[in-house]
Amino acid sequence: AADNWQRGIALCTSGKFEQGGAQFKQHHDVNPDDVENSAWYFLCIAKTKGLEAAREIVIPSRGDSRQPMMSVLKMLKGEIEPQQVLDAAADASIPRASRPMAQFYADLYVGLYYDSLGDTEQAVKYLKRSQDYGRNGYMVRTAKVYLDARFPDSK
């Protein structure tokens, strides 16, 4: 069960944030450095216990080498602003071939962060923008499904 992070995403997408949080907390045991897990867990805690509680129990990472994941973690902790995550993903030092995926992840997790804050307008803006990178894959489809399920009026 701890390996089933996809279940946690499905629970969040269906609005079952308490159960999703339990799933992501359990997943941390088998994948301790995945900042994506930290971001989804943060969302769950913010939705069920509030933003301050989420900031107090951000799941740590010893290092996630994917850009801009460590910036995402700093944003969750309140150490940097969402724009700094977006800037980190657009950094010219990131190899050109990797930049679109970095920008996708920045938009996705900035969108989820704004959802955590209860800022629907900004959440929708960045979740929609994450779709602009045109890559196919599980997380790209996840962003679309989450957007459509959680914000059905945004189409």
Side-chain angles (χ1 to χ4, degrees), residues 67 87-96 98-99:
Q67 285 290 7
D87 293 344
D91 188 317
S93 67
I94 298 172
R96 183 176 301 275
S98 300
R99 215 170 297 151

Side-chain angles (χ1 to χ4, degrees), residues 85-112:
V85 173
L86 300 169
D87 293 344
D91 188 317
S93 67
I94 298 172
R96 183 176 301 275
S98 300
R99 215 170 297 151
M101 205 60 187
Q103 290 173 307
F104 161 76
Y105 281 121
D107 283 338
L108 170 61
Y109 290 112
V110 164
L112 289 181

Side-chain angles (χ1 to χ4, degrees), residues 86 99-108 123-136 139-141 143-144 147:
L86 300 169
R99 215 170 297 151
M101 205 60 187
Q103 290 173 307
F104 161 76
Y105 281 121
D107 283 338
L108 170 61
V124 167
K125 173 185 172 181
Y126 288 103
L127 289 169
K128 279 185 175 180
R129 212 171 87 162
S130 75
Q131 303 302 297
D132 292 343
Y133 298 101
R135 297 222 176 198
N136 197 11
M139 291 311 295
V140 174
R141 289 188 305 275
K144 175 155 182 37
L147 175 65

Side-chain angles (χ1 to χ4, degrees), residues 39-131:
W40 286 97
Y41 182 69
F42 181 91
L43 172 71
C44 292
I45 299 305
K47 291 288 191 183
T48 58
K49 297 180 181 173
L51 184 59
E52 289 307 313
R55 285 210 201 281
E56 289 175 14
I57 56 174
V58 171
I59 293 176
S61 171
R62 294 171 296 186
D64 188 327
S65 62
R66 298 170 297 161
Q67 285 290 7
M69 292 306 174
M70 294 309 289
S71 294
V72 169
L73 190 63
K74 288 179 182 179
M75 175 183 67
L76 300 176
K77 293 177 180 179
E79 296 172 359
I80 66 172
E81 295 297 317
Q83 185 58 51
Q84 292 169 282
V85 173
L86 300 169
D87 293 344
D91 188 317
S93 67
I94 298 172
R96 183 176 301 275
S98 300
R99 215 170 297 151
M101 205 60 187
Q103 290 173 307
F104 161 76
Y105 281 121
D107 283 338
L108 170 61
Y109 290 112
V110 164
L112 289 181
Y113 178 73
Y114 278 120
D115 187 18
S116 300
L117 300 179
D119 187 335
T120 299
E121 183 178 331
Q122 291 297 312
V124 167
K125 173 185 172 181
Y126 288 103
L127 289 169
K128 279 185 175 180
R129 212 171 87 162
S130 75
Q131 303 302 297

